């Protein structure tokens, strides 16, 4: 698999098929790991970084996974390709923006990514469509076990897996669920969700993790504590709260349909109309409109469009994706025209799911 | 780690306040910071006394900072003050070297101090030797940079011997 092969496809986690997929976009678990015999990356010079990268590149490439894995050299990749992988959720912004020897192993279905020389020597990530945290854990635990046979992780009996930042020490686990919550945003109930989650030490973030804004009504809920609890306890804490949020979102969707059906139908139809006919459109407006359309499909207000197509459009209309599709660098204004053109074409033939 | 000016927790918020046109630093933990930020304007009557109290803490703070600079990891060379300013450790051994200072910080972040999750099947034995490898590698790079090739060769042999011993040790354990 080449990087360019990803341009026209979309990851399995976007297929919208898992449990609760109308509201839960994806489940993700990542583990932070470091090699015992090397300093952390903030204290590694270029040659040490290269040595760590070489070693982990080898072990990552040797992994036997259900799907074939491709290792990409992020250091020598163009900025556009790096941004493309960030939009695709396959690498973090930190791996994209840092410097020196670094890479990523990606499984063909895009469910697994292994980042080498991110904040920690190794960040293993597993993604699934819908609410499927146990599946994520089973796979990531197996990958971690396989790697652990080859390398010695920095580990202490008292503090667990030792990480570059003390906020990850212990299990090194970050469990995240991405939710689409348009009704809670429309009714301004989302603030209550924020406050309730903060009280139980769960973090709420935007689509691209730490520091990012919640665009298109997507919210990522994840654990903050990594020490003193087992991986399964941490997974349960995140998982147990999700049905309540789903229930809350459904309740407000139903109320909107009951009390403001005409207004809601009008909003959804206008959004769909603009997306099908606009000649120039910004990334932000696209996200906003796609969010309305996505909710409209789930409520039966739009019947000629599939959720996977909308999920795919969220990703494929972002700046780096558009430039990869066009195979050329585009300025912001040019991207808005290209985005509108792409949306028109894709929505005119929306029954042809690739 | 600087302590909160009002309670024993580590400070996460650092405020410079003007008391009678003289700047004073206040260091607060998350809870005390909330209280501080929510309180009304400080009453003028309490200013001189509070200023004096903060000043005393500031002097203690300077001494504390000098101490923090002395607390250095022998393997990667990072000081506790550097860790504090950048929020990232230099090597796994820092968790041992800065153990005392870290206890309160970890408790503040995680509410716990003891790992109870997954344990690698491969024994994390010989960690002292693993940490020593970090130091030897850094000395080797320095020797090469200084063109001390005899020293570099000696260090290279030492690293190789230690790596062999470690891999055989782990092999036996398996």
């Amino acid at each position: 698999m080449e990087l360019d092969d990803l341009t026209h496809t979309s990851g399995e986690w976007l297929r919208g098929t898992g449990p609760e997929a109308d509201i839960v976009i994806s489940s993700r678990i990542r583990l932070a790991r470091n090699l015992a015999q090397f300093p952390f990356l903030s204290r590694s010079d270029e040659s040490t970084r290269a040595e760590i990268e070489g070693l982990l590149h080898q072990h990552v490439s040797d992994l036997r996974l259900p799907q074939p894995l491709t290792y990409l050299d992020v250091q020598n990749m163009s900025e556009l390709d790096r941004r493309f992988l960030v939009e695709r959720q396959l690498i973090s912004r930190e791996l994209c923006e840092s410097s020196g020897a670094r890479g990523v192993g990606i499984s063909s279905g895009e469910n697994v990514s292994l980042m080498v020389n991110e904040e920690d020597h190794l960040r293993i990530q597993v993604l699934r469509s819908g609410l499927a945290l146990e599946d994520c854990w089973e796979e990531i635990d197996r990958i971690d076990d396989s790697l652990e046979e080859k390398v010695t992780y920095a580990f202490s009996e008292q503090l667990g897996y030792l990480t570059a930042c003390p906020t990850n020490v212990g299990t090194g686990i970050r469990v995240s669920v991405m939710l689409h919550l348009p009704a809670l945003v429309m009714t301004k109930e989302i603030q209550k969700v924020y406050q309730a989650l903060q009280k139980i030490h769960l973090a709420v973030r935007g689509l691209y993790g730490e520091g990012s804004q919640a665009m298109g009504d997507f919210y990522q809920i994840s654990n903050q504590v990594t020490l003193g609890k087992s991986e399964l306890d941490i997974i349960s804490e995140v998982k147990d709260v999700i049905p309540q949020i789903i229930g809350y979102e459904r309740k407000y969707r139903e109320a909107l349909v009951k009390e403001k059906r005409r207004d809601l139908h009008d909003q959804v139809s206008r959004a769909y109309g603009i997306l099908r006919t606009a000649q120039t459109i910004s990334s932000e407006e696209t996200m906003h409109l796609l969010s309305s359309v996505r909710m409209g499909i789930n409520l039966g207000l739009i019947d000629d469009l599939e959720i996977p197509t909308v999920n795919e459009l969220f990703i494929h209309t972002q700046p780096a994706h558009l430039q990869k599709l066009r195979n050329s660098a585009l300025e912001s204004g040019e991207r808005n025209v290209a985005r509108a053109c792409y949306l028109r074409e894709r929505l005119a033939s929306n029954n042809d799911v690739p | 780690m600087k302590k909160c000016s009002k309670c024993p927790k580590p400070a996460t918020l650092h405020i410079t306040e003007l008391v009678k046109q003289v700047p004073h630093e206040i260091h607060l933990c998350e809870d005390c910071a909330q209280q501080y930020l929510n309180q009304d304007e400080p009453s003028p009557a309490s200013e001189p006394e509070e200023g004096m109290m903060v000043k005393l803490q500031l002097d203690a703070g300077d001494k504390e900072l000098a101490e923090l600079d002395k607390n250095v990891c022998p393997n990667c060379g990072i000081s506790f003050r550097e860790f504090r300013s950048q929020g990232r450790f230099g090597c796994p051994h820092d968790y041992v070297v800065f153990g005392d200072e870290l206890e309160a910080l970890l408790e503040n972040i995680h509410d716990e101090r003891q790992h109870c999750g997954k344990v690698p099947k491969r024994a994390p034995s010989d960690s002292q030797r693993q940490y020593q490898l970090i130091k030897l590698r850094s000395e080797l790079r320095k020797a090469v940079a200084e063109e001390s090739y005899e020293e570099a060769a000696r260090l290279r042999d030492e690293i190789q011997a230690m790596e062999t011993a470690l891999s055989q040790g782990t092999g036996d354990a398996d």
Side-chain angles (χ1 to χ4, degrees), chain B:
Chain B
M1 175 64 45
K2 190 174 273 296
K3 286 203 176 70
C4 175
S5 310
K6 296 186 191 262
C7 79
K9 284 190 184 168
T12 53
L13 190 79
H14 309 276
I15 299 169
T16 306
E17 197 179 54
L18 283 177
V19 180
K20 295 197 182 299
Q21 305 306 311
V22 183
H24 291 296
E25 278 187 61
I26 309 175
H27 307 278
L28 298 168
C29 73
E30 207 169 314
D31 292 338
C32 294
Q34 278 296 336
Q35 278 179 15
Y36 176 87
L37 293 171
N38 289 335
Q39 76 185 1
D40 295 333
E41 289 290 307
S43 72
S46 69
E47 269 180 12
E49 201 185 333
E50 195 157 320
M52 205 180 291
M53 188 182 79
V54 173
K55 179 80 170 63
L56 286 170
Q57 279 169 350
L58 195 65
D59 289 343
D62 284 342
K63 271 186 207 143
E64 207 181 319
L65 284 180
E67 284 300 310
L68 294 182
D69 265 338
K70 279 189 211 153
N71 196 359
V72 171
C73 170
N75 292 334
C76 71
I78 197 173
S79 71
F80 191 68
R81 192 176 179 178
E82 277 175 275
F83 156 67
R84 242 185 39 153
S85 68
Q86 65 196 37
R88 299 287 183 277
F89 291 111
C91 80
H93 192 49
D94 296 348
Y95 281 97
V96 179
V97 181
F98 307 141
D100 292 344
E101 293 88 341
L102 281 178
E103 278 197 7
L105 175 74
L106 290 174
E107 193 153 314
N108 209 25
I109 301 172
H110 300 285
D111 266 347
E112 289 286 344
R113 297 175 184 187
Q114 177 64 51
H115 173 61
C116 62
K118 187 173 176 176
V119 174
K121 287 178 200 74
R122 204 179 156 98
S125 58
D126 297 315
S127 52
Q128 281 307 318
R129 281 198 282 179
Q130 295 276 12
Y131 299 147
Q132 223 178 325
L133 269 176
I134 294 172
K135 191 180 176 195
L136 288 173
R137 283 174 204 274
S138 126
E139 284 172 5
L140 172 62
R141 279 194 301 278
K142 203 172 150 205
V144 172
E146 288 169 357
E147 299 183 7
S148 312
Y149 295 117
E150 261 181 51
E151 175 69 357
R154 188 189 67 74
L155 287 162
R156 187 200 56 214
D157 293 346
E158 201 177 332
I159 289 169
Q160 272 173 0
M162 193 174 278
E163 279 177 335
T164 312
L166 275 168
S167 66
Q168 281 171 352
T170 318
D172 290 340
D174 285 345

Side-chain angles (χ1 to χ4, degrees), chain A residues 213-243:
Chain A
Q213 293 292 312
M215 282 193 298
D217 309 325
F218 288 116
Y219 290 84
Q220 212 182 88
I221 290 165
S222 51
N223 66 303
Q224 281 183 307
V225 166
T226 55
L227 179 65
K229 288 174 183 164
S230 74
E231 290 81 356
L232 290 174
D233 285 342
I234 293 169
I235 290 167
S236 290
E237 276 182 5
V238 176
K239 197 186 146 213
D240 290 351
V241 81
I242 302 298

Side-chain angles (χ1 to χ4, degrees), chain A residues 271-278 281 286 289-290 293 340 343-344 347:
Chain A
Y272 194 20
I274 294 171
L275 290 169
R276 280 185 298 181
T277 56
I281 191 164
T286 304
L289 298 173
L290 282 172
V293 166
L343 282 163
R344 288 198 309 274
L347 292 173

Side-chain angles (χ1 to χ4, degrees), chain A residues 176-331:
Chain A
S176 312
V177 176
M178 201 189 338
L179 299 159
H180 183 224
L181 305 173
L184 293 179
V185 175
M186 276 169 77
T187 53
K188 300 196 168 55
E189 290 292 314
I190 195 76
Q191 286 306 329
K192 287 185 194 161
V193 175
Y194 255 106
Q195 284 160 5
L197 290 173
Q198 269 165 4
K199 273 188 196 149
I200 53 170
H201 298 294
L202 293 180
V204 186
R205 301 190 170 114
L207 186 55
Y208 288 97
E210 213 166 326
S212 68
Q213 293 292 312
M215 282 193 298
D217 309 325
F218 288 116
Y219 290 84
Q220 212 182 88
I221 290 165
S222 51
N223 66 303
Q224 281 183 307
V225 166
T226 55
L227 179 65
K229 288 174 183 164
S230 74
E231 290 81 356
L232 290 174
D233 285 342
I234 293 169
I235 290 167
S236 290
E237 276 182 5
V238 176
K239 197 186 146 213
D240 290 351
V241 81
I242 302 298
Q244 296 171 47
I245 302 174
I246 292 174
Y248 209 32
E249 167 70 18
R250 289 218 173 103
K251 186 179 122 188
Y252 279 91
R253 285 187 188 188
E254 279 165 25
L256 283 170
V257 170
K258 210 183 267 178
E259 291 157 25
K260 297 184 176 174
R261 187 180 175 91
R262 189 180 293 166
D263 289 348
L264 194 67
H265 201 164
D266 182 64
Q267 182 197 321
V268 167
S269 307
R270 279 168 188 268
Y272 194 20
I274 294 171
L275 290 169
R276 280 185 298 181
T277 56
Q279 299 298 308
T280 171
I281 191 164
S282 71
S283 180
E284 202 183 333
E285 189 180 3
T286 304
M287 294 288 273
H288 181 66
L289 298 173
L290 282 172
S291 175
S292 284
V293 166
R294 196 179 188 281
M295 179 170 66
I297 299 170
N298 284 324
L299 294 176
L301 302 171
I302 293 176
D303 55 11
D304 64 342
L305 188 59
E306 304 278 340
I307 288 287
T309 310
V310 182
N311 285 356
E312 183 197 298
L313 286 172
F314 275 111
I315 303 292
H316 284 209
T317 53
Q318 292 188 41
H321 269 75
L322 283 173
Q323 293 175 82
K324 289 284 286 178
L325 283 165
R326 289 293 166 111
N327 216 3
S328 65
L330 302 172
E331 295 296 321

Side-chain angles (χ1 to χ4, degrees), chain A residues 91-108:
Chain A
I91 68 170
S92 62
R93 286 190 300 191
E94 173 142 353
L95 194 77
C96 167
E97 286 159 14
S98 64
S99 59
R102 60 203 195 280
V104 62
I106 299 167
S107 71
S108 59

